[in-house]
Amino acid sequence: MTVREILKMGDPRLLRIAKPVERFDTPEMRELVADMFETMKHANGAGLAAPQIGVDLQLVIYGYDSNVRYPDAPPVPKPVLINPVITLLDGAEVDGWEGCLSVPGLRGVVPRWERIRYTGFDELGNAIDREADGFHARVVQHECDHLIGRLYPTRMRDLTQFGYTSVLFPDMDPNADD
Ligand code: NI
């Protein structure tokens, strides 16, 4: 397992539309998923999308037990989600603070759908079909946005609610600032 370099906003590779995964459960896939979990853990992330390490595939991971960047968020299982499709379960949006490992040191308020259904595949090719709400739904929408070249600042509606984590949340664990 290798901790990979995370691309930062401004890198054009973060703006691509990622390609669908066509072959599952290959040695390359297992290595990619292992590296992504190692990279996410190393950076204290709540999720990571393959394009963030320069891999142009529709693959995201997320989940953690307790996360210093989101101390109040409930635990999320540790899934791998490939070729995802998100559908809206109701039209309500909620605002919430987000950060991104590709936008280090900053947080912004982003509107997201409150309740979604998402489908896709795990790394073995097993079908996934889940409903999610709250923080789980937010993380999935944030990570899947990376697969269509969208970083969260492009989803913001009020840029007065965008700033440095260390200024906005001075009491937060400094490890949360990346
Ligand atoms: Ni992100």
Side-chain angles (χ1 to χ4, degrees):
M1 289 189 293
T2 310
V3 173
R4 307 273 198 105
E5 183 191 356
I6 297 174
L7 306 182
K8 296 196 183 81
M9 184 167 64
D11 191 305
R13 288 173 288 177
L14 290 169
L15 303 177
R16 294 185 293 200
I17 307 294
K19 296 186 177 68
V21 170
E22 292 177 349
R23 296 184 63 224
F24 296 86
D25 198 23
T26 61
E28 295 77 18
M29 170 73 71
R30 282 193 285 275
E31 184 180 359
L32 172 62
V33 169
D35 285 358
M36 285 179 65
F37 274 110
E38 191 72 6
T39 302
M40 180 175 79
K41 191 174 153 205
H42 182 259
N44 291 316
L48 188 69
Q52 290 182 276
I53 57 167
V55 174
D56 189 27
L57 288 174
Q58 293 181 21
L59 190 159
V60 306
I61 65 167
Y62 49 91
Y64 51 87
D65 299 317
S66 64
N67 184 295
V68 295
R69 298 180 81 231
Y70 298 94
D72 299 326
V76 171
K78 284 188 185 293
V80 175
L81 180 60
I82 294 172
N83 300 349
V85 176
I86 294 176
T87 51
L88 179 61
L89 285 181
D90 70 49
E93 284 185 330
V94 282
D95 283 336
W97 288 97
E98 292 186 17
C100 179
L101 297 174
S102 293
V103 191
L106 294 163
R107 292 286 177 106
V109 169
V110 184
R112 299 286 186 189
W113 292 330
E114 168 70 8
R115 291 185 62 239
I116 60 169
R117 177 182 174 207
Y118 62 94
T119 59
F121 300 90
D122 69 14
E123 70 273 36
L124 303 175
N126 299 311
I128 289 171
D129 185 344
R130 292 197 190 102
E131 293 185 8
D133 59 15
F135 190 73
H136 182 182
R138 176 170 296 278
V139 170
V140 170
Q141 289 170 82
H142 175 114
E143 297 310 327
C144 291
D145 261 358
H146 281 294
L147 306 180
I148 56 168
R150 296 291 297 261
L151 299 174
Y152 79 81
T154 74
R155 295 286 189 196
M156 291 183 63
R157 297 197 182 124
D158 179 1
L159 289 171
T160 68
Q161 293 189 292
F162 188 38
Y164 290 97
T165 314
S166 58
V167 178
L168 290 163
F169 305 106
D171 297 330
M172 191 177 277
D173 185 320
N175 287 329
D177 194 30
D178 55 4

